[in-house]
């Protein structure tokens, strides 16, 4: 029979599970980075089951209640050592700050210098699922791999790895590091308090604090096991989501064969319709020219996609794959052969992207010792490093051979070997210079391309800004309700603007005729005649005014473009009263 304590234990556990099931917030998810987890519950070791009633149990946040139940079950089953996989997971994903990201090349270089021969041993400590290339960019995935190896090294009690993590924590987490130094022993409540951002517990900070406490020999209180349990639960949820997101989309039974038959039929019909090979698959080759142009625009050869694809088995198979995907995604849609030819390029581009990422991931893993490559058994490889014979050089290590200038040919001090040695050295230097030149040339081309693109965007933004400023001033004047104070007479204003080279765009013909009678020297462009106006006729004009009450969108678009291109100042007019129009032009003149 169970003891009274054990029975009490199960009663409390059932009560907590019942509260968790009935919690109205159960189905409301939190963000993947931040969660509320207060107040903290004690560990099983801190509970006095003899004195505690179920009504005395506090009601924590839903997330922590679930973690506490799991922690109780772990202790009940005899698992006294907390599972750290969740803390490791979030530590690796969040420890690299923006500043650390900039310095990571140097961090990695120093780590490799000290630990390269230990990488395979570090890789055996623990494997981290989040390193997969499918969940992040290649660069970010590589950083995760390296950070995972550093953490594994620290777990394996490698002194350099532990010192490196302490140094990184001190350098890139100065405030948090100072706060953590105050503790010799720390509780779960104190860890949560340190990890909070805007009164929410940050999962990344929580994992970082738990990990750095272990590395800095800060004793974790018994209640901290709840935090490890919670992080492990969240890790499992994330990985379940990631696994679901990366499941291969399978085709229905027989669909691929049906698509292959359809593609063969289309290709056969296309060949009959176009006996000339050059005219076959015209939609595909037309798009192919565009794809090649895009690649060349970015500094790559036009056939770069085909160089990157690992499983290109010819156009019929590529068309079949494309059709099978389309029919799976859009089962009710009618799909024609010309669509397949165009979509096939998109399928090829995505295939090349995936193949490059996978290949880069494989190379990274092999270089970092996370995998041994394709040859996993001794008999599968032709390479046996123990058979390499290294011949010792007769030249002393501390006295490298330095070439001196060759003497005059007339002297007998120069030998044939000296000439050959110098020629070889000069060729080596020339090769290095050529490589440097090519590299600089590529960098210059990339920088020049980026500069031109930036200048074009900057010019556009500047034009948009000028137009918005003019519109804002125009709206501001429209919204003024106070009556204008006459400071100058209309005759004085007319005399000041009459000799200007102004252009009026828009306006009803009667309104334009009235204004033309007052200012015959100006240029007037009616909405009905704007298409016939040559842009060159506006050169050397002082200013363009758009009459907003009567103007077409096409006319406005054409002449605002001319104003921008020729850098002619512009503004806007509103109203039919001639006195108001004269005052507006006078006030906004340049």
């Amino acid at each position: 029979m169970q003891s009274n304590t054990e029975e009490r234990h199960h009663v409390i556990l059932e009560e907590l599970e019942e509260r968790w099931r009935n919690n109205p917030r159960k189905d409301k998810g939190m963000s993947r980075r931040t969660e509320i987890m207060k107040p903290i519950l004690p560990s099983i070791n801190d509970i006095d089951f003899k004195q505690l009633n179920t009504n005395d149990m506090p009601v924590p946040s839903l997330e922590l209640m679930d973690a506490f139940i799991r922690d109780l079950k772990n202790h009940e089953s005899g698992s006294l050592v907390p599972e750290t996989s969740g803390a490791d997971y979030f530590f690796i994903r969040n420890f690299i700050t923006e500043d650390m990201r900039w310095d990571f090349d140097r961090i990695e270089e120093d780590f490799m210098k000290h630990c390269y021969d230990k990488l395979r041993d570090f890789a055996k400590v623990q494997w981290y699922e989040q390193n997969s290339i499918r969940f992040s960019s290649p660069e970010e995935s590589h950083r995760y791999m390296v950070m995972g190896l550093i953490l594994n090294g620290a777990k394996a009690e490698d002194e350099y790895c532990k010192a490196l993590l302490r140094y990184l924590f001190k350098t890139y987490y100065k405030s948090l590091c100072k706060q953590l130094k105050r503790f010799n022993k720390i509780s779960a409540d104190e860890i949560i308090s340190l990890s909070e951002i805007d009164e929410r517990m940050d999962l990344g900070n929580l994992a970082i604090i738990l990990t750095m406490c272990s590395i800095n020999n800060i004793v974790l209180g018994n209640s901290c096991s709840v935090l490890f349990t919670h992080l492990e639960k969240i890790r499992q949820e994330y990985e379940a989501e990631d696994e679901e997101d990366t499941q291969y989309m399978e085709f229905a039974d027989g669909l691929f064969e049906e698509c292959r038959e359809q593609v063969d039929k289309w290709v056969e019909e296309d060949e009959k319709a176009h006996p000339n090979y050059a005219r076959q698959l015209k939609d595909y080759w037309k798009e192919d020219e565009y794809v090649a142009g895009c690649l060349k625009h970015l500094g790559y050869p036009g056939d770069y996609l085909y160089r990157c694809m690992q499983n290109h088995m010819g156009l019929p198979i590529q068309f079949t794959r494309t059709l099978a995907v389309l029919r799976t995604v859009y089962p009710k849609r009618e799909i024609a052969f010309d669509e397949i030819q165009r979509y096939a390029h998109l399928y090829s581009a995505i295939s090349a992207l995936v193949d490059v990422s996978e290949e880069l991931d494989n190379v990274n893993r092999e270089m970092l010792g996370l995998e041994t490559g394709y040859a996993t058994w001794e008999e599968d490889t032709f390479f046996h490093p123990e058979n390499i014979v290294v011949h010792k050089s007769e030249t002393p290590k501390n006295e490298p051979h330095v070439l001196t200038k060759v003497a005059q040919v007339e002297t007998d001090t120069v030998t044939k070997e000296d000439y050959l040695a110098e020629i070889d050295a000069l060729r080596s230097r020339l090769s290095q210079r050529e490589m440097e030149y090519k590299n600089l040339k590529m960098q210059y081309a990339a920088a020049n391309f980026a500069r031109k693109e930036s200048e074009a965007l900057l010019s556009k933004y500047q034009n948009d800004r000028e137009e918005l400023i003019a519109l804002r001033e125009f709206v501001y004047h429209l919204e003024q309700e106070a009556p204008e104070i006459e400071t100058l007479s209309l005759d004085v204003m007319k005399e000041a603007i009459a000799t200007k080279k102004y252009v009026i765009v828009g306006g009803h013909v009667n309104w334009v005729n009235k204004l033309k009678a007052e200012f015959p020297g100006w240029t007037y462009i009616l909405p009905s005649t704007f298409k016939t106006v040559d842009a060159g006729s506006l050169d050397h004009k002082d200013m363009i005014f758009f009459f907003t009450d009567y103007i077409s969108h096409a006319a406005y678009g054409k002449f605002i473009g001319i104003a921008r291109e020729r850098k002619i100042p512009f503004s806007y007019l509103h109203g039919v009263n001639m006195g108001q129009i004269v005052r507006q032009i006078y006030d906004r003149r340049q």
Side-chain angles (χ1 to χ4, degrees):
M1 295 181 63
Q2 291 181 326
S3 66
N4 292 334
T5 301
E6 290 174 334
E7 291 177 1
R8 194 65 180 150
H9 182 167
H10 285 290
V11 169
I12 293 172
L13 189 59
E14 290 173 1
E15 175 70 14
L16 283 172
E17 288 179 333
E18 182 64 24
R19 294 187 189 186
W20 182 84
R21 282 193 295 270
N22 296 328
N23 194 305
R25 298 188 296 120
K26 183 172 61 176
D27 297 327
K28 295 184 178 180
M30 306 297 292
S31 71
R32 292 190 65 166
R33 167 79 183 178
T34 306
E35 297 187 11
I36 298 176
M37 281 183 54
K38 290 186 75 174
I40 185 68
L41 284 179
S43 166
I44 185 71
N45 296 332
D46 301 326
I47 298 177
D48 185 350
F49 288 102
K50 295 180 180 179
Q51 302 295 327
L52 187 62
N53 294 315
T54 54
N55 293 331
D56 296 330
M57 293 295 291
V59 179
S61 65
L62 173 63
E63 294 78 17
L64 195 55
M65 183 187 291
D66 181 56
F68 181 68
I69 293 173
R70 290 170 179 267
D71 192 50
L72 283 173
K73 289 182 176 180
N74 289 340
H75 283 79
E76 185 181 41
S77 63
S79 300
L80 301 179
V81 179
E83 172 59 63
T84 65
S85 297
D88 298 338
Y89 176 92
F90 287 102
F91 176 84
I92 292 171
R93 293 172 76 105
N94 295 279
F95 187 65
I96 303 174
T97 65
E98 190 66 34
D99 291 332
M100 197 187 303
R101 188 175 289 113
W102 283 102
D103 298 339
F104 201 79
D105 289 345
R106 306 178 85 179
I107 295 169
E108 181 182 353
E109 181 183 359
D110 196 68
F111 169 64
M112 293 297 174
K113 186 190 302 181
H114 287 85
C115 300
Y116 187 76
D117 57 339
K118 307 175 187 177
L119 292 183
R120 294 193 183 279
D121 293 330
F122 291 169
K124 296 175 183 177
V125 175
Q126 187 160 345
W127 179 65
Y128 302 101
E129 173 63 26
Q130 79 277 9
N131 290 339
S132 174
I133 193 70
R134 300 186 182 194
F135 308 139
S136 52
S137 68
E139 183 183 13
E140 190 175 52
S141 176
H142 177 75
R143 286 195 292 262
Y144 287 165
M145 291 181 196
V146 175
M147 186 53 64
L149 288 170
I150 295 172
L151 180 59
N152 279 356
K155 285 176 173 287
E157 297 298 326
D158 182 85
E159 292 302 326
Y160 170 80
C161 290
K162 291 197 290 185
L164 175 59
L165 287 178
R166 291 190 193 105
Y167 172 77
L168 296 177
F169 187 59
K170 178 181 177 181
T171 304
Y172 298 98
Y173 290 86
K174 293 180 180 178
S175 177
L176 187 57
C177 183
K178 288 180 180 178
Q179 295 180 67
L180 208 58
K181 277 184 178 180
R182 299 186 286 111
F183 297 93
N184 293 320
K185 182 177 180 179
I186 193 167
S187 68
D189 278 322
E190 290 167 329
I191 290 177
I192 289 178
S193 179
L194 289 174
S195 68
E196 285 180 344
I197 297 178
D198 296 330
E199 298 185 354
R200 283 181 173 270
M201 194 203 68
D202 184 86
L203 292 178
N205 283 349
L206 176 64
I208 290 168
I209 294 169
L210 287 170
T211 302
M212 294 311 302
C213 282
S214 300
I215 292 173
N216 288 318
N217 300 317
I218 298 173
V219 178
L220 297 172
N222 289 330
S223 58
C224 293
S225 60
V226 178
L227 303 181
F228 283 108
T229 302
H230 178 70
L231 289 174
E232 173 59 11
K233 171 185 174 276
I234 301 299
R235 179 190 73 85
Q236 292 175 5
E237 291 176 357
Y238 287 7
E239 290 190 353
E241 291 177 12
D242 290 338
E243 185 177 355
E244 183 178 349
D245 290 341
T246 54
Q247 288 289 327
Y248 284 91
M249 183 179 70
E250 296 184 1
F251 300 141
D253 291 341
L255 177 62
F256 191 84
E257 290 76 10
E258 291 177 14
C259 292
R260 181 60 197 268
E261 292 177 4
Q262 180 64 66
V263 167
D264 288 343
K265 181 180 178 181
W266 279 334
V267 171
E268 184 179 351
E269 292 174 353
D270 188 67
E271 290 175 350
K272 289 180 180 180
H274 305 96
N276 185 351
Y277 179 79
R279 301 189 55 142
Q280 295 172 9
L281 305 177
K282 62 177 183 179
D283 290 306
Y284 178 84
W285 296 116
K286 182 179 179 181
E287 300 295 333
D288 192 67
E289 292 178 4
Y290 172 73
V291 173
C294 290
L295 288 166
K296 290 179 180 178
H297 172 67
L298 297 171
Y300 283 75
D303 63 345
Y304 188 68
L305 281 184
Y306 303 102
R307 302 187 189 191
C308 293
M309 279 187 286
Q310 303 288 324
N311 194 28
H312 193 286
M313 300 172 66
L315 287 181
I317 295 296
Q318 209 72 349
F319 291 156
T320 302
R321 293 166 176 166
T322 303
L323 179 58
V325 172
L326 282 171
R327 285 189 173 175
T328 302
V329 177
Y330 308 109
K332 297 182 180 180
R333 178 175 167 183
E334 292 292 332
I335 303 169
F337 188 39
D338 59 338
E339 284 186 278
I340 294 298
Q341 295 179 60
R342 289 192 291 269
Y343 274 110
H345 277 293
L346 184 57
Y347 182 92
S348 297
I350 295 171
S351 298
L353 170 65
V354 170
D355 288 343
V356 168
S357 296
E358 295 281 354
E359 192 64 23
L360 181 58
D361 188 53
N362 289 334
V363 172
N364 269 336
R365 290 179 179 277
E366 291 171 19
M367 290 182 63
L368 295 174
L370 298 172
E371 292 180 3
T372 56
Y374 298 107
T376 56
W377 300 97
E378 191 69 25
E379 59 270 18
D380 291 337
T381 179
F382 292 99
F383 178 71
H384 300 284
E386 65 274 9
N387 295 335
I388 299 174
V389 179
V390 180
H391 297 285
K392 294 183 179 180
S393 174
E394 297 180 358
T395 305
K397 287 186 177 180
N398 296 329
E399 297 180 11
H401 181 62
V402 180
L403 290 174
T404 57
K405 291 183 179 180
V406 179
Q408 295 295 325
V409 177
E410 293 82 19
T411 66
D412 297 330
T413 58
V414 182
T415 65
K416 178 181 178 181
E417 287 72 17
D418 291 330
Y419 278 117
L420 293 175
E422 183 167 7
I423 290 171
D424 185 59
L426 291 173
R427 283 176 177 168
S428 177
R429 293 175 189 171
L430 179 61
S431 177
Q432 291 179 0
R433 296 296 179 270
E434 286 177 349
M435 290 177 62
E436 291 175 2
Y437 167 73
K438 290 179 180 178
N439 187 39
L440 289 172
K441 186 178 179 181
M442 290 179 63
Q443 291 183 21
Y444 171 76
N448 193 45
F449 171 78
R451 178 185 61 81
K452 290 180 178 179
E453 190 176 64
S454 298
E455 288 177 352
L457 290 173
L458 185 63
S459 176
K460 179 182 182 302
Y461 294 151
Q462 182 62 27
N463 291 333
D464 290 345
R465 179 177 177 273
E466 291 174 357
E467 184 177 355
L468 287 173
I469 290 174
L471 285 170
R472 185 181 64 185
E473 292 177 350
F474 174 64
V475 172
Y476 172 78
H477 287 294
L478 288 179
E479 292 177 345
Q480 297 304 302
E481 297 180 357
E484 296 180 355
I485 301 174
E486 295 288 341
T487 55
L488 293 174
S489 66
L490 284 177
D491 292 337
V492 174
M493 295 181 187
K494 290 179 181 179
E495 184 179 352
I497 61 177
T499 57
K500 298 292 183 180
K501 298 177 181 179
Y502 288 156
V503 179
I504 307 297
V505 180
H508 190 273
V509 61
N510 294 334
W511 179 87
V512 170
N513 288 335
K514 290 181 182 179
L515 194 61
K516 187 184 292 185
E518 294 285 347
F519 306 99
W522 294 357
T523 301
Y524 300 88
I525 301 173
L526 293 172
S528 59
T529 60
F530 78 93
K531 293 182 180 179
T532 62
V533 177
D534 181 28
S537 63
L538 301 185
D539 287 341
H540 310 299
K541 298 299 182 183
D542 294 326
M543 197 166 180
I544 297 176
F545 289 93
F546 296 94
F547 185 66
T548 60
D549 292 10
Y550 200 92
I551 189 173
S552 68
H553 181 74
Y556 176 76
K558 175 180 179 178
F559 290 101
I560 195 67
I562 294 174
R564 290 173 174 175
E565 182 182 352
R566 286 168 165 72
K567 300 187 182 305
I568 304 173
F570 59 89
S571 188
Y572 303 91
L573 302 175
H574 165 72
V576 294
N577 183 277
M578 281 298 135
Q580 288 182 340
I581 295 298
V582 169
R583 180 171 295 280
Q584 289 177 36
I585 295 174
Y586 180 82
D587 290 341
R588 298 165 196 174
R589 72 192 188 284
Q590 292 188 17

